Amino acid sequence: MATFVPRKVFPALNSLPRSYFLGHHKAGLDKMKTMLSHIDLVIECRDYRIPVTSRNPLFEENLAGRERLVVYTKKDLGSGGHRRDRTRERLIQDFQRPTAVLFSDYKDKASIRKILDFARTHATAANSLTGSRMMIVGMPNVGKSSLLNALRGVGVHKGKVAHTGAQPGVTRKIGTTVKIIEGEESGEGVYLMDTPGVFIPYVPDAEAMLKLALCGSVKDTIIAPTTLADYLLFHLNADDPSVYSDYVPSTNDVMVLLDAMARRTGRLQKGGEPDIEASALWLIQRWRNGHFGRFLLDTVTHETLELERRAHESAGLSLSQGRKMVKELRKQKSRQKHLNTL
């Protein structure tokens, strides 16, 4: 029997959409800027599974002038608790200095308490009689609302106030401030404001768009589920192909895998034909919930972090520049489509 050899490179997909910057994203960002003078601390959430790709430079550009705490959410979905995970976390923390960095799983009270301790220390240093106001920001569906609910639950023992969901766009407007730490004699406590997720105006790298889509930062209808499932299979094989061995032997053919999963899970159409798209969506959601391995989609080394920082600095995309690049990409696709019909 031939030894299985996983793909080393995922094929380039230059036809993928490169933006998901919606109207309520811009409106939310504009509103955040107007409220910045009342904010003591910005808590920026990034996805643990894509620590490089889920960084949105718009927050650094538009919310400058306030101290930031970067929280990498959904740690439970990307970390196995191994030494290499801890080494990678220290590398990220060192690279982000002097910005403070924490790693969180909203179900892990210990990690939530670390964020509360940071917020409490920051509020105490501010020494305000009216309490401390903080703002939580991040890309769509990065876990901001879940983190807010967890901070409130652990901090003041109150129930959920922010709506959460599997698809991006659940939070579309800036909400009212929510108390996460009770006040003492010297102040009113600490309040946190939930905000809508804000996408990058333009994603220059097609693979970065795949990573963001696979982690749920764009709706599942934007990129074909079979394409996302194929990209996920590429990473499953690189990490541990045995995670899907109950369905089919190791394979690089996503259609073989999805066919087997559809038949095994009963996702069949009329006539008993496998529902490939439904199977793809099922596989993606199962991975998002931690059932097909826990690993990162980004490669995190000092070199990749430095390259990403240089790329952001050289690009320096404003909102208007991002829109222009999206329009130009659409024009190119239109011209190519016209040439193909000749």
Side-chain angles (χ1 to χ4, degrees):
M1 183 177 179
T3 302
F4 172 69
V5 180
R7 291 172 287 181
K8 300 297 182 183
V9 179
F10 192 77
L13 298 173
N14 295 324
S15 61
L16 288 177
R18 301 293 184 84
S19 180
Y20 189 66
F21 190 77
L22 306 177
H24 70 274
H25 294 175
K26 183 181 185 305
L29 187 62
D30 289 343
K31 184 68 173 178
M32 291 177 212
K33 288 191 289 184
T34 66
M35 304 184 74
L36 198 59
S37 60
H38 305 290
I39 298 300
D40 304 314
L41 176 71
V42 174
I43 300 177
E44 181 188 343
C45 295
R46 300 176 186 173
D47 194 313
Y48 188 97
R49 298 165 297 179
I50 44 174
V52 177
T53 306
S54 60
R55 173 196 171 202
N56 189 341
L58 285 180
F59 295 126
E60 295 164 41
E61 296 165 10
N62 291 274
L63 304 180
R66 288 292 177 272
E67 185 174 346
R68 281 191 312 136
L69 167 65
V70 175
V71 177
Y72 289 89
T73 60
K74 306 183 182 183
K75 176 180 176 179
D76 56 313
L77 300 179
S79 171
H82 304 299
R83 178 181 295 179
R84 66 175 181 270
D85 297 318
R86 294 188 290 272
T87 300
R88 182 175 56 238
E89 290 169 11
R90 285 194 295 270
L91 174 61
I92 292 172
Q93 287 177 318
D94 290 341
F95 201 81
Q96 291 289 339
R97 295 185 192 279
T99 300
V101 171
L102 292 173
F103 304 90
S104 173
D105 161 16
Y106 77 91
K107 298 183 291 294
D108 176 25
K109 291 186 178 181
S111 70
I112 298 302
R113 290 192 185 98
K114 288 182 180 179
I115 300 173
L116 289 169
D117 288 343
F118 184 95
R120 185 180 292 107
T121 300
H122 187 275
T124 301
N127 194 27
S128 172
L129 293 175
T130 59
S132 180
R133 266 65 180 173
M134 303 179 180
M135 178 185 290
I136 189 166
V137 304
M139 295 275 275
N141 209 25
V142 78
K144 299 181 301 300
S145 297
S146 294
L147 179 59
L148 185 151
N149 287 331
L151 291 169
R152 176 176 165 85
V154 175
V156 296
H157 310 292
K158 296 289 183 65
K160 296 180 179 180
V161 291
H163 296 292
T164 61
Q167 291 292 298
V170 174
T171 305
R172 300 178 71 90
K173 295 181 179 179
I174 291 179
T176 56
T177 54
V178 175
K179 181 179 283 190
I180 60 171
I181 298 175
E182 292 288 359
E184 299 177 353
E185 291 182 5
S186 58
E188 290 187 3
V190 178
Y191 295 82
L192 186 61
M193 180 186 301
D194 197 12
T195 64
V198 177
F199 202 77
I200 307 169
Y202 177 75
V203 183
D205 180 4
E207 187 169 2
M209 193 69 179
L210 284 172
K211 292 176 182 179
L212 290 165
L214 189 54
C215 289
S217 284
V218 304
K219 287 190 175 180
D220 291 334
T221 54
I222 302 299
I223 296 177
T226 51
T227 300
L228 286 182
D230 191 24
Y231 186 63
L232 174 56
L233 176 61
F234 170 73
H235 279 281
L236 292 177
N237 285 337
D239 183 67
D240 179 13
S242 69
V243 295
Y244 59 83
S245 60
D246 287 345
Y247 303 93
V248 72
S250 301
T251 179
N252 287 315
D253 190 334
V254 71
M255 291 304 176
V256 170
L257 175 62
L258 295 178
D259 183 286
M261 284 183 165
R263 298 181 188 280
R264 180 72 177 271
T265 62
R267 286 171 169 77
L268 305 174
Q269 298 174 320
K270 289 183 178 180
E273 288 297 311
D275 191 332
I276 297 299
E277 183 169 311
S279 184
L281 290 169
W282 178 81
L283 168 62
I284 292 164
Q285 195 57 48
R286 292 284 288 176
W287 176 76
R288 288 174 181 167
N289 292 333
H291 296 290
F292 281 102
R294 301 165 190 263
F295 52 84
L296 270 63
L297 302 181
D298 281 338
T299 300
V300 178
T301 64
H302 182 82
E303 290 73 20
T304 58
L305 291 172
E306 184 61 40
L307 284 172
E308 183 66 16
R309 177 156 64 187
R310 290 177 183 175
H312 278 295
E313 289 175 351
S314 62
L317 281 180
S318 65
L319 294 181
S320 59
Q321 289 172 324
R323 292 194 194 95
K324 287 179 181 178
M325 295 186 75
V326 172
K327 288 180 181 179
E328 182 57 33
L329 184 63
R330 287 173 179 167
K331 288 180 181 178
Q332 291 176 7
K333 290 180 180 178
S334 179
R335 286 195 292 267
Q336 186 61 47
K337 186 177 181 179
H338 176 69
L339 289 174
N340 292 340
T341 60
L342 296 179

